[in-house]
Amino acid sequence: MLMIAVSKIAGTTAAALLLVSTLVISGCGGSKTTTASAAGQGGLEVSELRYQGSVGAVTYPELAEDLGYLAPLKLKYIGNTISGPQDIQSVVTGDTDFGGAFNGAIVKLLAAKAPITPVIAYYGVDDNTWTGYYVLDGSPIKTARDLIGKKIAVNTLGAHHEFVIKEYLHRQGLTKEEINQVTLVIVPPVTSEQTLRAQQIDVATLGGILRDKALERGGIHPLFTDKDLFGVFSAGSYVLTKQFIQQNPKAARKFVEATAQAIEWARTTPRDEVVARYEKIINSRGRKEDTTAIKFWKSTGVAGKGGTISEAEFSTWVDWLVKEGTLKQGELNPKELYTNEFNPYANGK
């Protein structure tokens, strides 16, 4: 169907673009990052890190800065990201110093020879944080096979939800040709429930506050969830360029250490205190944001302590892309795709 075809074309175009971006970043990547005085900035190579934020949300680096873990490094906000793939492409092109995305999307960039390294996990799935793929009560869709010829709403193509949906279809025995007949439609998450109830789509992807509010209104139920498929796992990582790490090893370590501490603070601090801190951060940064969604925060969703990355969190998606024909067997070694070198919680520390 059209949307699946668009996804494949977009992926091919992105790969070509990234090969060009690799050449660009090798010449100028990181040049916009402010150089720090070794004496004035605790010996760090840079004084600030450029990044993209998310509307109405607090990232772990932002939390780390607010808690004082990141000092003397400072964050420089340059705008909001529209998706994980876009966020890490901004790192590749040198517009930001770090960004985060679904691990499957990172693997696709690595396959395109993008010079990036995942350094810490930052989101995932657990008992409190997960996403469901919802149909209306009374819908004729009961099984994966019923999705052939139907429309599923996702926030973006080539990221977490596309991988999860296709894995569900694979596991339920659909052929590649049948899967290509399931149309993925880009719909802003905030309007997915309304679009489903208007029967303009057949399945809505809902998580967090959007899922909880939709369930309060009733009339929908999940066909499947990402937790059903994969259990508890970290799904996405922050990346740095290889050049940034080589030129700024102390700053890279500081960034990862501080983010890891922030993750553990959020994991071990009473929920109400975490929510209050998040609200304070959002209100103090002056971006005219609504804090409603933050009140529904439940957990980090990060599986590894301090965001440590496990091999399975990349091998799963390498194997998946091999099965899809996007990668050749043995083309990428999952063990070599990421590093826990800078994480103080790695190796049981």
Side-chain angles (χ1 to χ4, degrees):
M1 298 294 284
L2 177 60
M3 293 305 293
I4 296 294
V6 168
S7 175
K8 291 180 179 177
I9 293 171
T12 302
T13 303
L17 174 62
L18 285 166
L19 290 176
V20 175
S21 298
T22 299
L23 299 177
V24 174
I25 196 169
S26 66
C28 64
S31 61
K32 297 179 183 178
T33 304
T34 303
T35 302
S37 163
Q41 296 296 334
L44 301 182
E45 302 88 355
V46 295
S47 62
E48 64 182 24
L49 299 176
R50 295 161 300 140
Y51 80 105
Q52 295 184 106
S54 183
V55 177
V58 176
T59 68
Y60 290 113
E62 287 174 325
L63 176 61
E65 181 177 49
D66 189 71
L67 290 168
Y69 298 154
L70 195 61
L73 270 179
K74 296 182 179 180
L75 298 179
K76 183 177 181 179
Y77 168 77
I78 67 167
N80 290 317
T81 183
I82 58 174
S83 71
Q86 184 273 334
D87 200 25
I88 58 176
Q89 285 177 24
S90 294
V91 178
V92 173
T93 56
D95 295 312
T96 57
D97 296 306
F98 69 88
F102 169 60
N103 289 334
I106 293 173
V107 171
K108 291 184 75 172
L109 279 191
L110 290 170
K113 310 303 180 185
I116 55 175
T117 299
V119 293
I120 185 170
Y122 75 99
Y123 90 90
V125 173
D126 61 20
D127 291 338
N128 294 309
T129 302
W130 49 272
T131 297
Y133 301 83
Y134 286 83
V135 297
L136 294 171
D137 290 350
S139 167
I141 300 173
K142 308 295 183 184
T143 69
R145 188 158 297 279
D146 296 329
L147 290 170
I148 296 174
K150 299 299 191 295
K151 298 177 182 178
I152 304 177
V154 296
N155 65 323
T156 187
L157 296 176
H160 182 110
H161 300 307
E162 180 173 349
F163 276 68
V164 169
I165 291 165
K166 288 187 174 180
E167 178 64 13
Y168 168 71
L169 298 174
H170 272 297
R171 291 193 192 184
Q172 296 301 311
L174 272 67
T175 66
K176 188 172 183 179
E177 291 71 24
E178 290 170 333
I179 291 173
N180 286 343
Q181 296 177 57
V182 180
T183 303
L184 303 185
V185 182
I186 298 176
V187 176
V190 71
T191 62
S192 289
E193 178 195 354
Q194 178 185 351
T195 308
L196 174 65
R197 295 188 188 278
Q199 299 185 41
Q200 295 175 323
I201 56 173
D202 303 288
V203 182
T205 300
L206 298 170
I209 179 177
L210 299 177
R211 177 198 64 213
D212 293 344
K213 284 192 168 185
L215 289 174
E216 283 182 2
R217 285 185 275 269
I220 64 172
H221 63 273
L223 183 63
F224 63 98
T225 73
D226 50 10
K227 186 172 183 296
D228 291 339
L229 294 174
F230 300 106
V232 175
F233 70 105
S234 289
S237 303
Y238 283 126
V239 304
L240 301 172
T241 64
K242 296 180 184 298
Q243 184 180 30
F244 182 92
I245 293 172
Q246 291 169 356
Q247 295 180 350
N248 310 287
K250 293 180 181 178
R253 182 176 297 278
K254 184 65 178 178
F255 166 73
V256 176
E257 287 181 345
T259 303
Q261 286 179 282
I263 290 171
E264 284 309 299
W265 182 88
R267 190 199 303 274
T268 59
T269 301
R271 178 188 170 280
D272 289 347
E273 188 176 335
V274 175
V275 170
R277 191 89 185 202
Y278 282 175
E279 288 181 321
K280 179 186 78 70
I281 293 171
I282 291 173
N283 289 328
S284 65
R285 63 194 184 192
R287 299 180 198 166
K288 298 181 180 179
E289 301 165 279
D290 186 357
T291 61
T292 300
I294 284 296
K295 299 179 188 298
F296 288 77
W297 184 89
K298 293 181 179 179
S299 66
T300 67
V302 178
K305 190 170 184 179
T308 53
I309 301 170
S310 73
E311 181 183 342
E313 288 160 2
F314 278 88
S315 64
T316 296
W317 309 115
V318 170
D319 293 344
W320 194 92
L321 288 168
V322 168
K323 181 170 57 179
E324 281 283 290
T326 303
L327 293 178
K328 295 179 181 178
Q329 187 70 46
E331 184 177 345
L332 294 179
N333 182 349
K335 293 181 180 179
E336 298 175 352
L337 301 183
Y338 64 92
T339 182
N340 285 315
E341 175 187 358
F342 303 120
N343 198 316
Y345 294 94
N347 301 317
K349 295 180 182 179

